[in-house]
Structures are given as C-alpha cells and as structure tokens.
Amino acid sequence: MFSRKFLNYVRSLVIWGLMVFPVLLAGCASTQEAPPVQLQGVFYPPPPELPRIQYLRSFTSNKDIETSVSKFDKFVTGQEEKIRRLDKPYGVGIYNGKIYVCDTNLTVMVFDLENRKFHMLEGAKGLGKSIQPLNITIDDDGTKYVADPVRGQVLVYDSKDFFVNAFGSQVEWTPIDVDVYKDGLYVIDRNSAEVWVLDKESGELVDKIGKKSEKITERLFKPTNLIFNSDGNLYISDAGRFQIVRYDRDGHFLGTIGILGTSPGRFSRPKGLATDREGRVYAVDAAFDNVQIFTPEGRLLMSFGEAGNSAGDLNLPAKVVVDYDNIQYFSEYIDPNFEAEAIILVTSQFGPRLVNVYALGRQKGVDYMTDEELLQQLDERKKELEEKEEKEREELK
C-alpha cells in the first residue's frame, strides 16, 4: 500500500510537468527543457520540471507579522512578549493589504500587512459579533460577507471592517459558505443542501439552487464550498458526491469534476474552491492535504501541497483563494528568476503553518506551453500508448 506522502508526490507530477499518470505514460519525456537557472525555494511541480507555483511563507500568530520586542525592552519593562495565534482557521480572504481569517474557535482575525499588526476584525463585536465564522468572501468594493452557521446568519462588514448588516436567522437556515456574483449573494445552506440566492443589498431570498432538476444525478447532497468564475459558472464542492458540481448562475446543471478515489483528479474530502483569471479551478481536498488545479471543464493540470510540517506542506487544508492585487506585499519572498502573476492563500486547520502563501507564475526567460497545447500533447501520447499496447496484444495472439 502506497503512503499518503508518496501519493501526494505522484499527484504533483501532472500535466503542467508533462508527467501525468506516470504509470500510463512511462518513458514519455517532456519536450520542454529543464529550467536553465536553479531556483531557490519550494516549487511545484518539483525540479527538474518547469515551476508553476512557489511556496512563499505562512501566518499563524502575531510573531509572523509584528515586530518582536527586543531583549532590552523586555529587561526594562519586565514583561514577556505575549504570543497570540490562530486556533482553527477555515475561510480566508485578502483585500487592500489585509488577510482576513475565519477562526472557527475565535472570531474573524486580521493580519494587517501594511501596518504589521495582528488583531480581531473591527466590526466583529457588539451587534457584529461572530460566534463561529466559517467562510468569508470579499466583494470588489471591500464589502465582506461572513457565513456563521452557529449564529445562523451571513454577517456584512464594510470596506473599513465595520458591521453593517446581518441576513437570515437560525430558524431559517445554517449558512456555511458564501460568494458574490454581480447583484447576487450565493450561500450554501447546510440544512437543505442547497445554495440560497439572496439580493446582496437587501438580503431577500430570490432563488435556490441544487434541487431543481428531477434527475438525482444533477442534485447536491452535501455541499461544502462554492465559487464563481469570471464567466458566471458556479462550482460547488460536494462531500456527499465526492465531486465538484458545475452550474450556471441560474442553477442549470453543467456537469461535474472528478469522482471518489485517491488517484490524481479524484476526491475524498473536497472543500474550498477558487478560480483564476484563466478560469482554472483550484480544489482543496482535506484527505489528500493538497490543492488540485483543473481546467474550467475539469481536466487535471497539477496539484501542490502534501501532508507534513515542512515549508509548503498542508495539514487538513480548508480554503483556497487566488488574488492578483496584493502581490507587492510578498515580493521579497519571490525568487528573482520567478515571475509571479498572482498569490494563492491556503488555510490549514492544524500544524505549525495555518495560513500558507504561494505564488502562481513561471520562470523568467523560459517558454511555456499553453494549457491547451499541453493537453493536446497528452492526448497524443495517450493515443500512441494505446495503439502500442493494442499492437502488442495482437502480436501475442
């Protein structure tokens, strides 16, 4: 029986490294030359394949962002530095130099990258107090929506982090994830296993998604997380189906990604989702301790992360976010020969690194194939292999 660490390594050797399913494609060498310069750091796929993702750093406590108290100050004041850390994070978001973390055992916590501070969300007290914040999404204008299943509401905070509203009640539903698309607020209700569509200004219910179709194959069973891509397609992690389910914004079924299993492209405990500007889908699997990346239609490109306590490893990951607006806050950690186009945040619920930051990009001065070219090459190689195997079978007859 293969170890989980070995299986995670196999999952990392996928199309973007031109080594997908090594057993099936044994002997097929990459047509892309290895990078001419040795990069420093943790990269995925691992060398000698062309790098796509670099692990940068992590955030777990105030010590990861605040200036440490000097030994002299400790001597003068007689006070030891107090460590304040996350406990069990799930949802995460980033806006205007601040990382917002839903700590399910505390409240919404903020890593302020600009001012180098770690503190509780300003509005998460009084009427805006969260009980068990699970997921957060941030609109383009900085408005934050937090799904709190224990409070039974979606809490709304403005661009300055002040509380402004709360939608729903415990009697109605149990909201566990939320995303915004145009004028709609899309919320997973754990009780009904549906996505409730609210008007994002008034909170009024306007539609429900997940059980419209009479076909059981098109329904949701145990949805956990959701995300929209730029084309308005809705992707939903379903732990009951062991799949990612695709709908349009009106709830019409479009298809699925993956099935139950442990091989690349399959799922065991699917959770958080994200999409990038190319429409790729990033899917967390808590059982594999990694993030798998798919084309919009569901073809596997690569994965990153594995179980462990080393840099880049994940422990019971929950949420993933892709962001293009805050790269400058991490530039000092990016290899000079790696050109970053976005950052990726992934939360771990346990371990020494709870909010992990990666960079999505490519090595400078190296030509990369497009996703379409790589997929076409893979299809050609698989066809060649199938024809070879068929010929060998005929010769044995």
Side-chain angles (χ1 to χ4, degrees):
M1 187 69 177
F2 294 122
S3 69
R4 184 165 65 167
K5 191 161 187 174
F6 175 78
L7 289 173
N8 278 324
Y9 175 75
V10 171
R11 292 186 188 97
S12 73
L13 301 179
V14 289
I15 295 174
W16 272 359
L18 279 183
M19 292 180 67
V20 109
F21 308 135
V23 175
L24 295 178
L25 300 179
C28 295
S30 170
T31 60
Q32 302 183 72
E33 295 183 359
V37 178
Q38 183 65 45
L39 302 181
Q40 300 300 314
V42 178
F43 287 89
Y44 304 89
E49 303 305 322
L50 292 179
R52 295 287 181 165
I53 291 174
Q54 180 189 356
Y55 171 77
L56 302 181
R57 62 161 303 176
S58 66
F59 296 91
T60 298
S61 73
N62 60 310
K63 290 180 68 66
D64 294 316
I65 192 168
E66 295 177 352
T67 303
S68 298
V69 178
S70 68
K71 291 183 179 180
F72 177 77
D73 289 337
K74 290 180 183 178
F75 173 76
V76 171
T77 63
Q79 295 180 345
E80 291 294 324
E81 187 175 9
K82 185 178 180 181
I83 299 177
R84 294 169 287 112
R85 72 190 307 275
L86 297 172
D87 190 20
K88 191 178 180 181
Y90 196 109
V92 66
I94 186 168
Y95 182 82
N96 200 25
K98 294 180 180 179
I99 299 175
Y100 297 83
V101 186
C102 290
D103 193 320
T104 57
N105 286 340
L106 294 173
T107 183
V108 180
M109 302 299 296
V110 182
F111 289 94
D112 187 336
L113 305 176
E114 186 74 38
N115 298 302
R116 301 188 64 81
K117 296 292 184 181
F118 176 61
H119 58 84
M120 182 179 75
L121 180 72
E122 180 67 28
K125 51 192 174 184
L127 293 176
K129 179 179 175 61
S130 57
I131 302 175
Q132 189 186 70
L134 190 60
N135 277 299
I136 183 172
T137 192
I138 306 176
D139 208 349
D140 292 337
D141 63 359
T143 302
K144 299 151 195 80
Y145 300 90
V146 176
D148 190 322
V150 175
R151 180 162 167 167
Q153 293 181 310
V154 172
L155 308 176
V156 187
Y157 306 89
D158 64 17
S159 60
K160 297 181 179 179
D161 297 348
F162 292 108
F163 174 72
V164 294
N165 213 336
F167 300 145
S169 69
Q170 290 178 321
V171 178
E172 298 174 284
W173 63 350
T174 302
I176 58 174
D177 196 13
V178 55
D179 195 26
V180 176
Y181 186 75
K182 294 188 176 178
D183 58 351
L185 197 62
Y186 292 72
V187 185
I188 293 178
D189 172 36
R190 184 167 58 199
N191 294 347
S192 63
E194 292 177 303
V195 176
W196 291 27
V197 186
L198 313 181
D199 179 277
K200 74 175 184 179
E201 298 299 328
S202 66
E204 180 182 352
L205 178 65
V206 296
D207 199 2
K208 292 184 180 182
I209 294 173
K211 293 185 178 177
K212 288 182 177 180
S213 175
E214 295 182 358
K215 298 179 180 178
I216 194 169
T217 55
E218 299 182 0
R219 294 188 176 191
L220 297 175
F221 290 90
K222 193 178 179 181
T224 58
N225 291 90
L226 77 169
I227 195 70
F228 272 94
N229 69 4
S230 58
D231 293 330
N233 291 327
L234 176 61
Y235 295 83
I236 303 171
S237 293
D238 194 318
R241 298 179 57 127
F242 305 99
Q243 291 179 313
I244 308 302
V245 186
R246 300 166 52 214
Y247 297 95
D248 66 18
R249 63 171 300 186
D250 297 318
H252 300 111
F253 179 80
L254 299 177
T256 60
I257 298 175
I259 57 175
L260 173 63
T262 58
S263 59
R266 301 191 177 195
F267 296 103
S268 181
R269 295 180 64 188
K271 288 193 174 183
L273 295 171
T275 59
D276 63 21
R277 287 177 178 171
E278 302 301 320
R280 305 183 191 104
V281 180
Y282 297 66
V284 170
D285 197 301
F288 302 153
D289 291 310
N290 74 352
V291 179
Q292 298 188 86
I293 306 177
F294 299 86
T295 66
E297 297 74 30
R299 295 198 63 177
L300 181 65
L301 290 169
M302 69 167 288
S303 68
F304 64 94
E306 62 180 330
N309 292 323
S310 300
D313 292 345
L314 299 170
N315 284 279
L316 198 65
K319 193 65 179 287
V320 56
V321 167
V322 177
D323 174 80
Y324 291 84
D325 301 323
N326 294 272
I327 300 176
Q328 68 271 24
Y329 294 102
F330 305 96
S331 57
E332 64 181 291
Y333 306 102
I334 301 172
D335 187 287
N337 294 299
F338 189 71
E339 185 175 4
E341 62 185 79
I343 59 169
I344 305 170
L345 303 178
V346 185
T347 55
S348 283
Q349 294 193 282
F350 298 99
R353 298 174 177 84
L354 298 182
V355 179
N356 301 274
V357 186
Y358 306 80
L360 171 69
R362 56 184 59 199
Q363 183 165 346
K364 296 178 181 178
V366 179
D367 291 330
Y368 283 67
M369 291 184 182
T370 65
D371 295 352
E372 291 74 18
E373 289 171 338
L374 288 169
L375 289 168
Q376 181 179 359
Q377 187 175 89
L378 175 67
D379 289 339
E380 291 173 354
R381 290 182 174 182
K382 290 175 69 175
K383 183 178 180 181
E384 290 173 1
L385 182 60
E386 290 170 354
E387 291 176 349
K388 180 180 178 181
E389 291 178 341
E390 178 63 27
K391 182 179 180 180
E392 290 175 349
R393 283 194 293 268
E394 289 296 327
E395 291 175 350
L396 291 173
K397 289 182 179 180

